Amino acid sequence: MAGRYAPSPTSALHLGNLRTALVAWLMARHTGREFRLRIEDLDTARVTAAGDVAAGQLADLRALGLDFDPPVLWQSRRLAAYAEAAASVGDRLYECFCTRREIAEAASAPHAGGFRPYPGTCRNLTEAERAARRRQRRPALRLRADAAVQTVHDQWAGEVTGVVDDFVVRRNDGVWAYNFAVVVDDLAQGVDQVVRGDDLLSSSPRQAWLTRLLGGRPPSYAHVPLAVNPTGTRLAKRDGAVTLADLAVAGVGPQQVLGLIATSLGLADPGERVDSGLLLDRFEPSVLPREPWVVPVV
Ligand code: GLU
């Protein structure tokens, strides 16, 4: 049994990311689970700085007192595992030659959050049609899901039901897709508790369905409301001193940052000195706020 935190090494973790990591750690440790780390670097593996960014992310988590159980998993080193998992569901895979624009034009009106289910254009191409398209464009690989309806239970959002469209497993640039890799890795790491930002809530029915298809049991889900800046938009690095490094320069050390985040979660009084062990003693999942956190940006 394990929980996990799975950052993408695109830039240093900001206060919202650190808060989600703290909640994931608290939920895992509170329920006696291991806590796993995974670096989601499939997109960034070719970027030389990604290794340094990831090392900084791990150091920041440690600075807040969030320990994790080895080994750290790097997605860029798991390509053989993704290929093997894809082969195991090979009868459901098909090549898709659609561009984004073609999908947008063929699809019905977008669903919630702008999501456009794949309209199935390439699902039943003949071998001759495929051969012709291959000469024009490298295919992506999609997984036939037969419009399965999947319900998941989220700790805070309750029942969430989604129709699973034929989603991309491997992109046309050859990179394994997030929705596929995340499920293969959660299974490999023994993850049965997923705590992450609520921007990914709508992906969970699809991921739960894939977990079953690969022979596993879907994990429990808890999607944490995101951090926003004072104007109400999603917190970003340009919003000011929002990383541990920026805050250190402004004279705010990791322990104070932990205190600030803990206050936002109702686990500490403003200005109180806390450490991760004390927060774990106090932690009770049902009292966590369900609203976005408006970060007091300096
Ligand atoms: N790597 C994703 C992110 O940084 C998180 C994926 C997940 O937790 O499932 O947003």
Side-chain angles (χ1 to χ4, degrees):
M1 296 209 318
R4 47 71 154 186
Y5 186 61
S8 306
T10 44
S11 59
L13 300 174
H14 63 48
L15 285 167
N17 307 134
L18 294 168
R19 181 176 187 254
T20 300
L22 173 63
V23 176
W25 180 84
L26 288 168
M27 292 278 286
R29 296 305 193 204
H30 179 75
T31 52
R33 285 178 164 85
E34 297 195 324
F35 189 59
R36 305 274 184 195
L37 253 290
R38 178 165 75 236
I39 307 299
E40 302 213 320
D41 62 342
L42 288 175
D43 255 336
T44 47
R46 278 164 283 187
V47 180
T48 340
D52 292 340
V53 174
Q57 292 176 329
L58 300 184
D60 285 355
L61 298 175
R62 287 197 191 93
L64 295 188
L66 311 187
D67 59 337
F68 37 87
D69 296 290
V72 175
L73 189 146
W74 296 70
Q75 288 193 321
S76 58
R77 299 174 196 166
R78 302 253 312 141
L79 305 187
Y82 305 136
E84 196 180 312
S88 77
V89 293
D91 55 337
R92 284 184 175 266
L93 296 180
Y94 64 86
E95 291 172 322
C96 171
F97 302 89
C98 294
T99 60
R100 274 173 206 273
R101 172 195 280 221
E102 284 165 348
I103 293 172
E105 282 168 1
S108 50
H111 288 206
F115 170 66
R116 288 179 187 275
Y118 179 62
T121 320
C122 292
R123 193 182 296 133
N124 298 313
L125 295 182
T126 64
E127 192 41 56
E129 286 169 329
R130 271 193 211 108
R133 304 267 173 103
R134 262 184 227 126
R135 284 194 283 277
Q136 293 155 350
R137 190 177 155 80
R138 282 184 58 171
L141 278 184
R142 286 188 186 268
L143 187 60
R144 191 167 46 71
D146 301 324
V149 176
Q150 176 74 47
T151 300
V152 300
H153 185 267
D154 182 85
Q155 167 101 16
W156 294 296
E159 306 265 286
V160 178
T161 299
V163 177
V164 183
D165 73 336
D166 290 1
F167 58 92
V168 172
V169 160
R170 200 181 64 201
R171 303 187 327 212
N172 95 317
D173 60 2
V175 176
W176 294 98
Y178 158 72
N179 276 302
F180 186 70
V182 86
V183 171
V184 174
D185 289 340
D186 280 341
L187 282 167
Q189 290 185 288
V191 169
D192 66 344
Q193 181 190 61
V194 168
V195 180
R196 59 188 175 190
D198 71 2
D199 53 329
L200 290 168
L201 179 63
S202 63
S203 296
S204 39
R206 182 190 289 145
Q207 294 176 7
W209 177 84
L210 179 59
T211 305
R212 282 224 172 83
L213 186 70
L214 293 175
R217 268 176 63 120
S220 64
Y221 291 100
H223 288 86
V224 183
L226 290 180
V228 297
N229 66 24
T231 64
T233 49
R234 190 172 166 168
L235 190 71
K237 283 205 42 156
R238 63 177 172 280
D239 286 323
V242 292
T243 66
L244 281 193
D246 302 334
L247 287 157
V249 171
V252 184
Q255 194 170 32
Q256 276 172 280
V257 175
L258 188 67
L260 180 72
I261 295 173
T263 306
S264 82
L265 294 169
L267 294 172
D269 291 326
E272 186 186 351
R273 272 179 85 87
V274 293
D275 60 38
S276 57
L278 176 68
L279 299 179
L280 184 54
D281 288 341
R282 288 181 183 172
F283 183 63
E284 172 45 57
S286 62
V287 304
L288 289 181
R290 294 160 192 226
E291 301 301 313
W293 176 38
V294 183
V295 177
V297 174
V298 281

